[in-house]
Amino acid sequence: MATTAAPAGAPAAAPRVRRSSLWWPAVAVTAAAAVVHTLLTRRLSGDLQYVLGALRLGGDAGYSPSEVFTHRPFFYRWFVALLDLPTAGGPAVRETLIGIEGAVVAAVTALALYAALLRRVTAREAAVTAGATGLALVLAPRTDFLQPEWTAVLLAVLGVAAALGVRRPWPAALLAALPLGLAVTMKYSTASTAVFAVLLIRLADRGRALRTALAAVPAAAALFGLSVLLGSHEWQWTEDMPRINQSALGRTGLRPGGVLAHSVSFLADRALLSPVLLLLPGALLLLLARCPGRARRVELLAVAALVGAGSLAVVIVQGNWFPYHAVQSTVAAAAAWGLAVGGTTGPPPWRFGAVSLAYGALPVLYPHAPGGLHRPATVWALGLLGLLAAAADVHCRRAARRPAPVRSAAPVVLAGVVCLAGPVWPGSPHLVRHGEVGATNAAFLRDTAHEEAEAARLRARIPAGAPVLYLAFGDTAYYVDRPARCRYPIATFLQRSRFLPDVAGLPSFAENADCVDHDPAPYAILDRAWFRLAFVDPGLRARVQATYACPPPSKDTPTVVCTRR
């Protein structure tokens, strides 16, 4: 938007374009095949299973999503509950249906962005940019998909579409305020995502960006107030949740050397999961090459730097270094790639496209590379390769003695689709840490089958409909699926006292412990690997042991069914 050489509204030139009628259908078929494969095979991450399990079990206990603790804020809980509402069947079927719903929402968001961009750029630029953004959301790695950060990005894209797509500025700002305000409430740290959206709007229209910001700030405050009003425990949980994160910057303190080392490794890991991030520097260079004027180039660079630094700052403050905390950077990279390729007015950036195609294979090939290459330096070198390819395209275009025939950009767009699909194949990484692949998608699915079999073993020892106290991780509660009896279906606050003794002084810990002390469930599931009784709060440990009789420890079966004494 407004990054093309021609101003908005300028009459479009009509150069002769050499194209093949088969290229664009090939793009569509490849994208559709990747989406179908993803929706049928991805399954949901453990974080989503935790939220779904807590909401379902809490609902069985008579609590609405407003009143169930899931370590996620009010509006995000309702978002997931609404996705789960029309589902039925076994875990695989229900997860597939939820995935389809998420893909439909992302597709609608991409269409809204396309309609908005048509007001400011060419049809091809709008289509490629919106398409890349939508595919980045739908084909996101499992660890990103439907997370609060992912949802906030989707809402931010809707906010951008509303702010730029409605003809009159103030109605546009007011319409954009709702999705941007909701983006803030997905996890509160996601307020940065809403800020990034306003910065991107500013690139296209400064007046609309100012109006949107003026409308979105009170909208976010009002939505937070509404969540506190509708949820009796929302303010308490908002205060207590940050205190159970042992890795937060507020607990560990700032260590610049460690932060720098973690950042270098984290960005490399994030790029292995979503290789489109490696193409962001090259895409920015292609955009800068056609920006009209030095001031405009400085503005674009400043916004890119703010978005990049802000995305990393959110990760640093939370301190967990989870890849999904920076999903906004990967979607921004996809959008920048779309603007760079779709807005090309001369020969397509063939070299940049070739690198894009190669990076589509990177997630599958990297786990099989020699061990010495499994390090962040390898990934950073690949990022430099993408930048050099873009620089070569810019140089060749400027060095040409006469204008080259304009060719279809569809082959390069096809390469981008392949790159965006990189995260979803069976051999692609599911977990990466310091350049080492911890698990692939295929390994995750094998582990999922094992977890389902283990849950079936536990469930067989509990009568149907019998309430359970879950002293186990979220995926166990999700697969066992026996009803809970309190508003804390998964004992997150109780478990955190293993690492942080002061958690035992929080109001939410006392309420969670009440699930053990008053009218406890007739059965408990104890995961000795996650809920280590020897390390949790001593008073809690004594009460659990006095209430439940558990089988003796065993290396082969760390998760057991306990019965009330």
Side-chain angles (χ1 to χ4, degrees):
M1 40 194 142
T3 53
T4 52
R16 188 177 62 171
V17 180
R18 297 182 184 177
R19 67 181 72 195
S20 168
S21 60
L22 298 178
W23 276 113
W24 287 111
V27 172
V29 169
T30 303
V35 169
V36 171
H37 166 82
T38 302
L39 296 179
L40 294 179
T41 63
R42 175 160 48 194
R43 301 294 299 266
L44 297 180
S45 68
D47 288 330
L48 264 295
Q49 292 173 350
Y50 165 87
V51 176
L52 285 165
L55 292 175
R56 291 172 184 172
L57 302 178
D60 292 338
Y63 295 99
S64 76
S66 302
E67 302 296 330
V68 175
F69 178 79
T70 66
H71 205 191
R72 295 289 187 260
F74 178 92
F75 284 106
Y76 179 75
R77 296 199 300 274
W78 273 104
F79 169 72
V80 174
L82 290 174
L83 289 178
D84 194 35
L85 186 63
T87 65
V93 174
R94 298 184 77 171
E95 290 182 22
T96 299
L97 292 175
I98 289 173
I100 292 172
E101 292 171 333
V104 169
V105 174
V108 171
T109 301
L111 285 173
L113 180 62
Y114 170 71
L117 292 178
L118 276 179
R119 295 173 54 86
R120 297 174 179 273
V121 297
T122 65
R124 187 180 74 176
E125 193 171 3
V128 177
T129 303
T133 303
L135 284 176
L137 290 168
V138 175
L139 303 179
R142 179 185 300 103
T143 49
D144 293 347
F145 187 60
L146 294 178
Q147 291 275 21
E149 288 80 0
W150 182 95
T151 311
V153 172
L154 181 142
L155 290 165
V157 174
L158 278 176
V160 172
L164 298 180
V166 176
R167 185 173 61 85
R168 298 176 62 187
W170 271 114
L174 294 174
L175 184 60
L178 178 60
L180 292 179
L182 286 172
V184 173
T185 63
M186 288 298 102
K187 199 177 169 184
Y188 306 132
S189 61
T190 52
S192 60
T193 304
V195 174
F196 300 155
V198 174
L199 289 174
L200 294 175
I201 295 169
R202 187 183 185 279
L203 286 175
D205 192 315
R206 296 180 184 181
R208 287 179 181 250
L210 178 59
R211 291 179 178 89
T212 301
L214 290 174
V217 171
L223 288 168
F224 174 72
L226 184 63
S227 71
V228 172
L229 180 65
L230 297 178
S232 62
H233 287 65
E234 203 63 27
W235 181 257
Q236 173 184 309
W237 291 338
T238 301
E239 288 188 310
D240 288 356
M241 279 192 292
R243 301 179 187 179
I244 64 176
N245 181 8
Q246 68 265 30
S247 302
L249 191 64
R251 285 190 176 272
T252 64
L254 181 63
R255 301 183 181 92
V259 167
L260 178 61
H262 266 99
S263 299
V264 170
S265 177
F266 172 82
L267 290 173
D269 295 343
R270 178 70 259 194
L272 281 174
L273 291 173
S274 301
V276 70
L277 189 59
L278 293 171
L279 298 168
L280 179 57
L284 287 175
L285 180 61
L286 292 171
L287 289 172
L288 289 170
R290 68 171 194 264
C291 263
R294 180 179 300 177
R296 186 65 175 166
R297 289 193 289 271
V298 171
E299 183 181 28
L300 176 60
L301 278 176
V303 169
L306 287 171
V307 171
S311 298
L312 187 58
V314 171
V315 181
I316 293 170
V317 169
Q318 294 179 88
N320 301 114
W321 302 96
F322 295 149
Y324 65 84
H325 288 167
V327 64
Q328 65 269 41
S329 62
T330 63
V331 178
W337 187 96
L339 281 169
V341 172
T344 301
T345 56
W350 298 115
R351 297 162 187 83
F352 186 65
V355 173
S356 301
L357 181 65
Y359 286 174
L362 175 64
V364 178
L365 297 178
Y366 182 87
H368 303 286
L373 296 177
H374 289 188
R375 58 186 62 190
T378 302
V379 184
W380 282 90
L382 291 172
L384 178 60
L385 177 63
L387 179 61
L388 292 175
D393 283 320
V394 171
H395 173 75
C396 291
R397 181 175 177 179
R398 289 179 175 175
R401 296 181 178 274
R402 57 181 180 178
V406 179
R407 298 181 182 272
S408 172
V412 179
V413 176
L414 178 60
V417 171
V418 173
C419 180
L420 290 168
V424 305
W425 308 123
S428 299
H430 168 67
L431 295 174
V432 185
R433 187 74 171 174
H434 303 305
E436 294 287 342
V437 177
T440 63
N441 290 331
F444 171 86
L445 295 177
R446 288 194 298 270
D447 291 342
T448 295
H450 174 75
E451 290 174 1
E452 290 183 286
E454 178 68 10
R457 178 186 68 82
L458 297 170
R459 189 167 54 249
R461 303 193 59 183
I462 303 171
V468 173
L469 172 69
Y470 290 94
L471 304 177
F473 196 55
D475 52 2
T476 298
Y478 172 81
Y479 286 120
V480 171
D481 199 28
R482 290 287 192 260
R485 188 170 269 180
C486 69
R487 72 172 73 246
Y488 296 85
I490 301 167
T492 305
F493 278 100
L494 303 186
Q495 189 264 355
R496 285 296 191 274
S497 65
R498 167 185 172 184
F499 307 101
L500 304 168
D502 59 305
V503 166
L506 298 177
S508 300
F509 180 93
E511 289 185 349
N512 198 168
D514 192 61
C515 301
V516 180
D517 299 334
H518 297 94
D519 192 24
Y523 295 90
I525 293 180
L526 173 63
D527 181 354
R528 289 191 171 97
W530 182 74
F531 198 95
R532 300 186 64 181
L533 277 173
F535 294 92
V536 299
D537 176 73
L540 170 68
R541 177 172 65 249
R543 298 199 297 277
V544 170
Q545 291 173 334
T547 304
Y548 291 99
C550 300
S554 169
K555 291 183 179 180
D556 297 329
T557 55
T559 305
V560 295
V561 176
C562 308
T563 57
R564 192 172 62 194
R565 295 184 187 275

